[in-house]
Amino acid sequence: MFSSHFDHMVSSLTSAEEFRMFRRQDLTAIPEDVKREIMRRGHMARKAAAPGLKEWLASAEGYDSARRAVRSSLADMLLCEAVTEEGRAAGEIADMLYSILAEPSWSVSDKRKVPMRKEQPDAFAAETAALMVWAKELYKNELETVAPGICEAAMDECRERLVDRLDDPAFCETVLRRPDALSFAAAAVTAVLYVPQDESLRWLRLKNLLRIAERCVSAGRLGEVYRRRGLAAWLTEALCMADIAFMCDFACSGESGLCADEELRGQAKLISSAYIGEDILIDEKTYMKPALCGADVYRLGAVFDDDAVCAIGEKLESLHPGMESACGITGRLLNVLWSGSFANDRLHDSYKHPRVVVDGENGIYAARPSGGKGFYAGMYLGALVVYLDGECILTAGEGAAERSIPWPERTGEVKHYASDISVRQDGFPTISMNLAGAYGPETCVSSWQRTVMVTSGAENIRLVDAFDFSGARRKAAVRFITPARPVVAVGAPRAVMGSCLIEWDGPASAEVALVSSEPGKELYALVLSAQGPAAGGCWTYFLRRST
């Protein structure tokens, strides 16, 4: 289930600093009826006086009621401000955040006493941490204007109260024994993905959460939940599984494989078989009230690409509009996003953007999109390889003075030919490295900096070669090897290689040579050369689809 995807996840997980699940403008493109309901609730929350925690300290039960009310009002106001962009409730939201940060514990209290800070975090605490994360993501600029430093303080509290506990095996075992283990894991995943922390510890904590979720299912927990707590609790647990899979898959640029996992998708299949009455999911323990709101059911079906479950969700929403999500602030936010343009192609554009994957120990640097579509550029010990829609279309293993850059061997000691390696994720994913180490002293190559940039949507690649020679002037040439015979345009610096068009600026001439004539494995070289000897140069190439 989850653990079988760890190898894919560790190589594609986006760092907490770079991870952004959506842009705020995604929330302004939602349907008008959804926006009106969010605005109605937000304005009501702002008009109503938020309960003061000091007034409830005489009763632990009343204290928890006040805390829940504060969180509910905060969630309503955050969503309202995000979709309207009015910016008028920053002061009230900051006050609510400060009241939550001042709580001695974020856990639900024992009825006999107010909770203390040393108590172990529960699902309520994890949900509180998720609320802190979304406050920062949705409203950081406005909050920092009225309360400088509040977002950093919130993230510090999330680390201390929850995130730092997740690398303790004893604590994870304690979580497993709770009835709210899956709800805890679903909310805690949001905090782990977003809260800044050491990346190696972040991966460890995320794995621990996924193992908690996996053990809940493998131990037959969902069946036990249904027998003891009814259909609503069972569906909520299944929805938590879907949210965990979706959030993690999103953080891995769609490359984790979680949303296509057959065991996880089986949870959606079980729900589609749980029709009662007129194809409506209801709960016999709540007087025919729907077990989940329609938006929750639709979201579960959409995550696992199950049209039958999506249809149930749409019908439930039409019959019982405006029901509350069973998964707190994250569930509400995801429902809003799924209702808008965010979900038109199942995921936001950033989910499809390429990202740089680094395996420095083996000399591998690659900027690749999810799903195998678009351009994929990799640098393997300095040798360039380019894929388009999953097929290799070009390699560049040779450079100045036509000396070959050796292709990496996967056995024995790995030799690194590149130096001055830099990787940038912000903006367009970019890989840059100095290939001078691949050439012998007789070539007089003092520097050969190759930079690869994959643009938004993985639809274009920009490649730059900046080189210098020491001593005598030299004539430079670059050979691109391709399985498709290049067709060079007459009088124009471009060529077509199958489905790829390459254009260049710098080289003065282009020639095509046959590298291998083996039937079915033909290889050609597109040789780009300088006009004459030079002390150095800077050549630029653009690759895009030919049609």
Side-chain angles (χ1 to χ4, degrees), residues 459-470:
E459 290 300 316
N460 299 276
I461 285 182
R462 183 173 184 262
L463 178 66
V464 178
D465 281 332
F467 52 91
D468 290 296
F469 299 108
S470 60

Side-chain angles (χ1 to χ4, degrees), residues 149-177:
I150 190 172
C151 291
E152 184 177 354
M155 295 302 99
D156 289 342
E157 290 294 317
C158 288
R159 276 191 297 270
E160 181 179 348
R161 296 176 187 249
L162 174 69
V163 174
D164 288 348
R165 310 290 293 276
L166 295 172
D167 47 6
D168 180 1
F171 171 71
C172 294
E173 288 295 325
T174 301
V175 171
L176 269 169
R177 293 193 290 270

Side-chain angles (χ1 to χ4, degrees), residues 11 21 24 71 96 104 120 126 152 159 176 218 286 288 338 345 374 426 447 458 486 489 506:
S11 63
M21 192 166 180
R24 183 162 160 177
R71 286 155 173 78
M96 290 183 178
Q120 300 231 6
E152 184 177 354
R159 276 191 297 270
L176 269 169
S218 61
T286 54
M288 307 299 284
W338 280 109
D345 295 321
D426 59 309
S447 175

